[in-house]
C-alpha cells in the first residue's frame, strides 16, 4: 500500500517504486473521475498490467495525443516525469487556456511505465537494467530493447540481433507484448495525431527517421516545430537541446517507436531525451525531477498545441 | 542486488574520425564488459561508458595508447546509487 493518501500529498520530488506508481494512478483516477480513466492495454511478459491513463473531457474517439515514458527502465527520470505530467494535466485543465483548449477537443493517453518488468528489476536487482526481462531461447542473456522491436525496418542497421546486446531487437517485429499492446491500441484507436516518447539523458528532441537518412516527408514542419519546442524548454532553466532527425542528430537506429508511428500516418512523432548535463547520467538526483519534468512539459505543450492547431 | 563498487563512467569526446572509429571498435569489444550510457554518434559528441572496476585499468590504458582523452564523469557509481537509495528511504519515511 502506498503511504500517500492522495495525489496532492504525493511526493513528486522522489523516485517511486512500481507499486507506488500504480497506486498513484488509481488515486488520480478516483480523484478525477470525469477527466481521468485507466485503461489496461495488455500485460508485460511477467504479467504486470500495462496501464494507460486516458485524459478526456468527453466525445467519441476524439483525435488524441500519445505520450509514453520508461521504455528503457533505467531512465528513472522519465517515469518520475510521467507522474508529474499526469498531475500537471489535471491541475492545469480549466486554468491553463492552452491545455484546456487541447483537452476540450482532444484526448491525451499517457503510459508512464512502458516496461514495468524492467523497471521493477531496476528497483530490486540491477539499477542499470535497460531491456525487458523476457528470456531469450538459446541464450543466457535476458531481455529485448523495446525501442528496437517496432515494425520500422525491423532488424536493420542500428539494432542488434545478439541477445546479449543492449540494443537487441528481439526475434521479430512486435514480438514483445509491451510493444504489441501499444501497436494494437494505437491501430484500433485510429485517431492518434501525435506520438511522443520520453527518454533520458542526452538532451535531444528527435523526429523520424532513425532507420534511414532519407528525410521524412514532413521534415520541414517537424524541424520547425522541434525548434519551437526546444526554445520553449530552454526558456525555463536554459537547458539546451539538440534537435533533428533521429538519424542525423543521434545515430542510425532501426525498429524505433517514432518511425513506426510516423509510418502509420502519425505526423507529429517525436522522441525526447531529457536532461542530464553530463554529471549524473541515468542517476539524476531526485531534486532534479520537478525541474526536469517542468521544462520537458514546455516542449510537450509546444508539440501538443501545434498538433491541436494543425489538424490533418 | 547487483552492486557497482568502483565502477566508473568515463566521458570520451572523439576529436576526429580516427578516434570515432576507435570508439566504434570499443563498442564492439565484449571483453571489456562496457555499458554505453551514451553511444557513439559523431566527432565532438560525448560518449559515456560505464567501466567495471576490474577492467578500468585496461580500458584507460587502451584509450591512452590511442591518444584518446577522457574524463571521469562518475568516480564511483555505487556511491551515487547508495545516495539514491538513502534518499528514497528518507522520502518514504
Amino acid at each position: 500500500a502506498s503511504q500517500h493518501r492522495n495525489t496532492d500529498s504525493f511526493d513528486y520530488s522522489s523516485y517511486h517504486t512500481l507499486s507506488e506508481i500504480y497506486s498513484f494512478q488509481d488515486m488520480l483516477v478516483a480523484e478525477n473521475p470525469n477527466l481521468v480513466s485507466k485503461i489496461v492495454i495488455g500485460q508485460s511478459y511477467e504479467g504486470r498490467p500495462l496501464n494507460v491513463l486516458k485524459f478526456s473531457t468527453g466525445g467519441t474517439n476524439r483525435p488524441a495525443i500519445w505520450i509514453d515514458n520508461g521504455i528503457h527502465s533505467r531512465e528513472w527520470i522519465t517515469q518520475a516525469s510521467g507522474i508529474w505530467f499526469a498531475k500537471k494535466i489535471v491541475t492545469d485543465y480549466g486554468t491553463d487556456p492552452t491545455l484546456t483548449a487541447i483537452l476540450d477537443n482532444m484526448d491525451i493517453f499517457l503510459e508512464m511505465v512502458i516496461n514495468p518488468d524492467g523497471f521493477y528489476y531496476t528497483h530490486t536487482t540491477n539499477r542499470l537494467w535497460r531491456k525487458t526481462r523476457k528470456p531469450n531461447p538459446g541464450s543466457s542473456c535476458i531481455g529485448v530493447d523495446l525501442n528496437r522491436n517496432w515494425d520500422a525496418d525491423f532488424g536493420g542497421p542500428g539494432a542488434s540481433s545478439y541477445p546479449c546486446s543492449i540494443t537487441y531487437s528481439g526475434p521479430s517485429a512486435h514480438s514483445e507484448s509491451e510493444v504489441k499492446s501499444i501497436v494494437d491500441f494505437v491501430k484500433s484507436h485510429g485517431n492518434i495525431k501525435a506520438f511522443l516518447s520520453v527518454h533520458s539523458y542526452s538532451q535531444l528532441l528527435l523526429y523520424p527517421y532513425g532507420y534511414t537518412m532519407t528525410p521524412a516527408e514532413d521534415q520541414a514542419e517537424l524541424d520547425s516545430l522541434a525548434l519551437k519546442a526546444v526554445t520553449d524548454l530552454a526558456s525555463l532553466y536554459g537547458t539546451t537541446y539538440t534537435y533533428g532527425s533521429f538519424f542525423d542528430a543521434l545515430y542510425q537506429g532501426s525498429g524505433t517507436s517514432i518511425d513506426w508511428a510516423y509510418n502509420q500516418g502519425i505526423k507529429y512523432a517525436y522522441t525526447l531525451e531529457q536532461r542530464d548535463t553530463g554529471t549524473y547520467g541515468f542517476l539524476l538526483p531526485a531534486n532534479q525531477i520537478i525541474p526536469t519534468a517542468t521544462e520537458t512539459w514546455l516542449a510537450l505543450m509546444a508539440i501538443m498545441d501545434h498538433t491541436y492547431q494543425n489538424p490533418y | 542486488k547487483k552492486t557497482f563498487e568502483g565502477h566508473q563512467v568515463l566521458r570520451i569526446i572523439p576529436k576526429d574520425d580516427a578516434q570515432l572509429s576507435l570508439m566504434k571498435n570499443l563498442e564492439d569489444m565484449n571483453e571489456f564488459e562496457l555499458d554505453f550510457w551514451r553511444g557513439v554518434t559523431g566527432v565532438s559528441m560525448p560518449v559515456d561508458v560505464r567501466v567495471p572496476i576490474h577492467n578500468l585499468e585496461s580500458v584507460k590504458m587502451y584509450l591512452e595508447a590511442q591518444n584518446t582523452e577522457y574524463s571521469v564523469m562518475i568516480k564511483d557509481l555505487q556511491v551515487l546509487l547508495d545516495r539514491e537509495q538513502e534518499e528514497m528511504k528518507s522520502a518514504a519515511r
Side-chain angles (χ1 to χ4, degrees):
Chain A
S2 169
Q3 70 274 34
H4 306 284
R5 288 175 303 164
N6 57 55
T7 63
D8 288 329
S9 64
F10 193 85
D11 185 0
Y12 296 91
S13 60
S14 293
Y15 290 113
H16 294 278
T17 63
L18 187 61
S19 63
E20 287 171 345
I21 295 175
Y22 284 157
S23 296
F24 170 85
Q25 293 171 342
D26 291 335
M27 284 192 294
L28 197 72
V29 171
E31 293 169 10
N32 303 277
N34 296 322
L35 180 61
V36 192
S37 56
K38 185 176 82 175
I39 304 169
V40 182
I41 62 169
Q43 280 195 341
S44 66
Y45 170 74
E46 292 179 340
R48 296 186 175 85
L50 300 172
N51 293 342
V52 173
L53 291 187
K54 177 183 180 182
F55 300 84
S56 177
T57 58
T60 305
N61 201 41
R62 282 179 168 173
I65 292 157
W66 171 271
I67 303 172
D68 62 71
N69 303 66
I71 198 167
H72 295 141
S73 47
R74 63 187 178 181
E75 298 170 8
W76 276 14
I77 184 62
T78 69
Q79 297 94 347
S81 294
I83 299 171
W84 189 92
F85 297 157
K87 182 64 175 174
K88 180 71 172 167
I89 293 170
V90 301
T91 305
D92 280 7
Y93 178 68
T95 57
D96 178 82
T98 306
L99 181 73
T100 303
I102 293 170
L103 272 176
D104 282 343
N105 294 278
M106 305 181 78
D107 296 337
I108 298 174
F109 293 99
L110 174 64
E111 186 172 5
M112 294 178 194
V113 188
I114 278 196
N115 177 8
D117 296 348
F119 188 62
Y120 181 81
Y121 197 71
T122 63
H123 278 273
T124 55
T125 308
N126 181 345
R127 172 65 182 83
L128 294 173
W129 192 256
R130 164 187 165 104
K131 301 190 288 182
T132 62
R133 291 298 304 160
K134 187 177 174 182
N136 295 305
S139 171
S140 60
C141 293
I142 301 284
V144 169
D145 179 351
L146 291 179
N147 206 32
R148 296 293 183 278
N149 188 242
W150 302 71
D151 190 9
D153 192 34
F154 174 83
S160 176
S161 57
Y162 177 48
C164 297
S165 166
I166 61 169
T167 56
Y168 175 51
S169 62
S172 59
H174 306 171
S175 58
E176 307 310 295
S177 63
E178 296 85 353
V179 167
K180 182 69 163 51
S181 299
I182 299 172
V183 167
D184 290 346
F185 175 78
V186 169
K187 281 187 168 179
S188 67
H189 185 282
N191 205 13
I192 304 278
K193 298 298 183 184
F195 190 102
L196 312 174
S197 290
V198 183
H199 293 237
S200 75
Y201 63 94
S202 47
Q203 297 178 195
L204 295 167
L205 179 56
L206 310 171
Y207 50 78
Y209 284 107
Y211 65 77
T212 175
M213 67 173 69
T214 304
E217 192 178 330
D218 302 291
Q219 165 132 344
E221 184 182 359
L222 293 173
D223 196 73
S224 152
L225 177 54
L227 172 59
K228 165 83 167 77
V230 301
T231 304
D232 287 2
L233 185 153
S235 69
L236 196 57
Y237 301 113
T239 305
T240 54
Y241 269 46
T242 302
Y243 65 96
S245 78
F246 192 113
F247 190 103
D248 289 339
L250 194 55
Y251 41 62
Q252 188 171 14
S254 58
T256 65
S257 64
I258 59 166
D259 282 0
W260 173 82
Y262 188 78
N263 285 343
Q264 294 298 304
I266 302 174
K267 184 178 9 175
Y268 301 113
Y270 286 94
T271 290
L272 289 97
E273 291 271 358
Q274 294 180 290
R275 65 158 90 168
D276 177 44
T277 51
T279 309
Y280 301 105
F282 299 120
L283 306 176
L284 196 65
N287 63 11
Q288 293 195 40
I289 293 172
I290 293 175
T292 307
T294 309
E295 69 185 12
T296 307
W297 182 248
L298 297 180
L300 294 178
M301 278 296 291
I303 298 169
M304 291 194 292
D305 187 41
H306 183 90
T307 305
Y308 163 57
Q309 302 279 358
N310 294 273
Y312 63 94
Chain B
K1 198 166 191 175
K2 185 172 171 60
T3 56
F4 298 87
E5 281 91 0
H7 289 217
Q8 291 190 348
V9 179
L10 305 182
R11 168 156 287 196
I12 308 157
I13 302 180
K15 286 182 177 167
D16 52 35
D17 286 336
Q19 290 192 357
L20 194 66
S21 175
L22 177 77
M23 287 296 96
K24 285 178 179 165
N25 290 340
L26 206 58
E27 265 188 327
D28 296 332
M29 286 183 185
N30 295 323
E31 62 266 33
F32 285 144
E33 302 168 62
L34 303 178
D35 171 19
F36 281 81
W37 285 19
R38 290 181 70 163
V40 181
T41 52
V43 172
S44 303
M45 300 300 291
V47 176
D48 297 340
V49 58
R50 174 176 62 85
V51 187
I53 188 169
H54 55 272
N55 284 328
L56 258 180
E57 194 177 334
S58 306
V59 171
K60 288 181 176 178
M61 281 174 60
Y62 177 83
L63 292 171
E64 286 158 11
Q66 310 290 339
N67 292 319
T68 304
E69 291 183 11
Y70 62 88
S71 59
V72 178
M73 180 170 136
I74 296 175
K75 191 175 176 185
D76 185 339
L77 197 57
Q78 193 58 41
V79 172
L80 281 188
L81 292 171
D82 290 344
R83 191 178 306 158
E84 187 179 70
Q85 276 300 303
E86 186 49 44
E87 282 179 0
M88 278 188 74
K89 283 181 190 164
S90 175
R93 278 198 295 272

